[in-house]
Amino acid sequence: MTQAPARHPSGRRQHDREIITLALPAFGALVAEPLFLMADTAIVGHLGTAQLAGLGIASALLMTAVSVFVFLAYATTAAVARRVGAGDLRAAIRQGMDGIWLALLLGAAVVAAALPTAPHLVDLFGASDAATPYAITYLRISVLGIPAMLIVLAATGVLRGLQDTRTPLYVAIAGFVANGALNVGLVYGADLGIAGSAWGTVIAQCGMAAVYLMVVLRGAHKHGASLRPDAAGIRASAQAGVPLLVRTLSLRAVLMIATAVAARLGDADIAAHQIILSLWNLLAFALDAIAIAGQAIIGRYLGAGDSRGAREACRRMVEWGIAVGVVLGVVVLLARPAFLPLFTGDPAVMDVALPALIIVALSQPISGIVFVLDGVLMGAGDGPYLAWAMLLTLAVFTPAALLVPVLGGGLTALWATMTLMMIVRMLTLWLRTRSGRWIVTGATR
C-alpha cells in the first residue's frame, strides 16, 4: 500500500469501532444463511433417505445459483457506499433501487429457465430413481423463491452501503425462525412432505424480501428517491456486476476442481475433504465479515474524497484480518482432535484429515489478508482487476491440483495447493493495494 502519514491512536480506535460495528452483525447474518439449509436437512432427513438425497441435489443447484448472483450484494454495497460518502443519500438509495430491479429481472429469468428444465438439471447429478422425483419437486417449488433470494442479496447490499449491517442480521434471524416453523408445520402438520419444506422456505424468503423492500422504500420516501426502474441505472449495475461474476465463477471452479481431485484420491480422502471444506467455509464467514465491513467503509471514504482515510482503514483492516486469522488458526490446531469425531468415526478418514487440517490452520492468517483486501477492492469498485486476478489464480491452481494424484500426493498435498491458491490471491491483491491504483475518489468510479 502507498505510504500514508503516521496514524494516531484515536484514528485507530475510530477504525476499530467502525470495523466491529459493521463486522459483528455481518458475521451473524452470514452464519444465519446456511442455517436455512441445515434446518431443511434436519426436517426432511426424518422423512427418509430418498427425500434427503433429493433435497441434497436440489439444494446444490439452488446454492450454486445464489453464489453466482452474490455480486448483487457486492456491487450494490460499493456503489451505495460511495454515494453515502459523497453525502448524496437520495442518489445512494436510487442506486440501490437499480440493483434491486436488476435482481428482480435476473430472478424472473432464472425461474423461466429452471421450471421447464428441472428434470434435466437433476439428471445431471445422476440421481437415483428413488431420489429423482423428490429432487424435481423440491427444485421446482424452491426456484419460485429465487427472485426473493436475489432481492434479499441486492437489498442487503443497499443496507451495507448505508453502513447498516444490523438490519440484515435481524432479518436473517427472523427468516431462520420462520423457515423452521413453516417447515415443521407444512411437512408434518399439513403432511406435505418434501414439498412442504420447499414451500416453507419460499414463504420465508418472500417474507425476508418484503421486509427489506419496506426498509428500502421507507428510505426512498424519506429522501425523495425515485422507485421507477431506470434502464441506464440497471445496465450500470449489471456492468459493475459482470467482473465480480467472473471472479465468483473462477473461485467456484477452484472449489469444484479441488473436490474432483479429492474424489480421485479415494473414499477416505473425499470424505475427509468434505469435512475440511465445511470447516474452511465456516472459517470464511468470520473473515468475510471483516471484508463486508471493508466494502462499506472503503466505499464511503472514497465517495467522500478521503483517500488518506481509505488507506488507513485498509491498513487497519489488514491488521484485523491477520489477527483474526491467527486466532482461527490456533483454534483449529487445538480443536482438531475434538472436531473430527463430530463428523466421522472412521479412523482412516481421521488419519487423512488430521495433517490436512494443520495446513488449513497455518494458512488462516493468509486467508485473513486475502478476504480483507478482496473486500477493500470491492468497496473501491475495482471489479475488473479482481476478475483478472482470480482468473490468474485459477490458471496457477488448476495444473498444481491436477498434479497431486499424478505425483502420488494425498489430501495434505491437495490442501497445500489450496494454500498456494490463497498465496497467489494474496500477492495479486497486495500488489494492487500497494500500487494505490484502486484509490479513485468521488461518488462514482
Side-chain angles (χ1 to χ4, degrees):
M1 287 170 286
T2 55
Q3 186 67 30
R7 292 166 292 165
H8 298 290
S10 60
R12 290 167 62 93
R13 285 195 295 270
Q14 177 185 346
H15 291 313
D16 289 346
R17 282 195 300 270
E18 287 184 330
I19 293 167
I20 293 171
T21 299
L22 291 172
L24 284 181
F27 174 68
L30 288 169
V31 171
E33 289 175 7
L35 291 179
F36 271 82
L37 178 57
M38 290 180 63
D40 287 2
T41 301
I43 293 167
V44 172
H46 291 287
L47 294 175
T49 301
Q51 289 90 332
L52 186 58
L55 171 67
I57 293 167
S59 295
L61 288 164
L62 292 166
M63 292 306 294
T64 298
V66 173
S67 65
V68 165
F69 293 117
V70 74
F71 70 83
L72 288 166
Y74 294 158
T76 305
T77 298
V80 171
R82 274 186 176 270
R83 287 159 176 79
V84 169
D88 192 346
L89 289 178
R90 179 179 179 181
I93 296 174
R94 173 66 260 182
Q95 179 68 41
M97 284 304 304
D98 291 335
I100 291 173
W101 278 111
L102 176 62
L104 186 59
L105 292 173
L106 290 173
V110 171
V111 172
L115 281 177
T117 60
H120 304 292
L121 293 172
V122 170
D123 284 343
L124 291 175
F125 279 76
S128 67
D129 291 339
T132 293
Y134 295 113
I136 294 173
T137 296
Y138 191 91
L139 181 60
R140 276 185 164 157
I141 297 172
S142 294
V143 79
L144 298 176
I146 287 286
M149 293 172 70
L150 299 190
I151 288 173
V152 167
L153 284 175
T156 299
V158 176
L159 296 182
R160 288 173 181 171
L162 293 171
Q163 317 296 296
D164 175 10
T165 56
R166 289 183 180 274
T167 299
L169 171 61
Y170 299 148
V171 175
I173 292 173
F176 170 69
V177 173
N179 178 65
L182 286 165
N183 269 254
V184 171
L186 294 174
V187 171
Y188 298 114
D191 198 26
L192 294 179
I194 195 170
S197 176
W199 280 118
T201 301
V202 168
I203 293 170
Q205 289 164 345
C206 290
M208 292 172 67
V211 172
Y212 273 119
L213 287 175
M214 273 196 322
V215 173
V216 174
L217 292 178
R218 189 182 303 134
H221 178 73
K222 179 180 178 181
H223 297 286
S226 173
L227 302 178
R228 296 178 180 177
D230 176 62
I234 294 172
R235 187 164 52 250
S237 295
Q239 289 172 345
V242 168
L244 296 179
L245 174 61
V246 172
R247 167 205 167 273
T248 300
L249 290 176
S250 300
L251 182 56
R252 295 294 300 181
V254 164
L255 299 179
M256 289 175 63
I257 290 169
T259 300
V261 170
R264 294 185 185 182
L265 299 177
D267 289 346
D269 294 85
I270 184 61
H273 176 75
Q274 289 303 112
I275 294 171
I276 295 171
L277 191 60
S278 67
L279 174 63
W280 194 74
N281 287 328
L282 179 62
L283 297 173
F285 286 136
L287 299 172
D288 204 24
I290 305 175
I292 287 170
Q295 294 171 29
I297 292 170
I298 294 298
R300 192 190 74 233
Y301 273 119
L302 293 178
D306 188 354
S307 58
R308 174 183 174 182
R311 284 193 293 266
E312 291 187 350
C314 174
R315 184 179 290 105
R316 189 57 178 157
M317 280 184 285
V318 169
E319 293 170 356
W320 269 84
I322 294 172
V324 173
V326 169
V327 171
L328 293 176
V330 171
V331 170
V332 171
L333 284 174
L334 296 178
R336 281 184 309 142
F339 171 75
L340 289 173
L342 296 175
F343 293 87
T344 181
D346 188 338
V349 175
M350 287 193 272
D351 288 344
V352 171
L354 278 170
L357 276 174
I358 296 176
I359 300 294
V360 172
L362 295 177
S363 68
Q364 286 310 296
I366 297 171
S367 296
I369 297 172
V370 169
F371 275 83
V372 167
L373 294 183
D374 207 38
V376 166
L377 295 184
M378 283 185 190
D382 204 10
Y385 181 84
L386 289 172
W388 285 111
M390 198 61 226
L391 286 171
L392 173 63
T393 302
L394 176 62
V396 173
F397 169 79
T398 301
L402 295 179
L403 281 174
V404 169
V406 174
L407 298 178
L411 191 66
T412 302
L414 176 60
W415 275 93
T417 65
M418 289 288 285
T419 302
L420 170 65
M421 179 268 295
M422 295 302 286
I423 290 172
V424 174
R425 290 187 70 189
M426 181 182 68
L427 291 175
T428 56
L429 297 174
W430 177 77
L431 288 172
R432 184 64 168 182
T433 53
R434 190 175 186 276
S435 72
R437 294 177 183 172
W438 57 281
I439 300 177
V440 179
T441 58
T444 57
R445 183 178 174 85

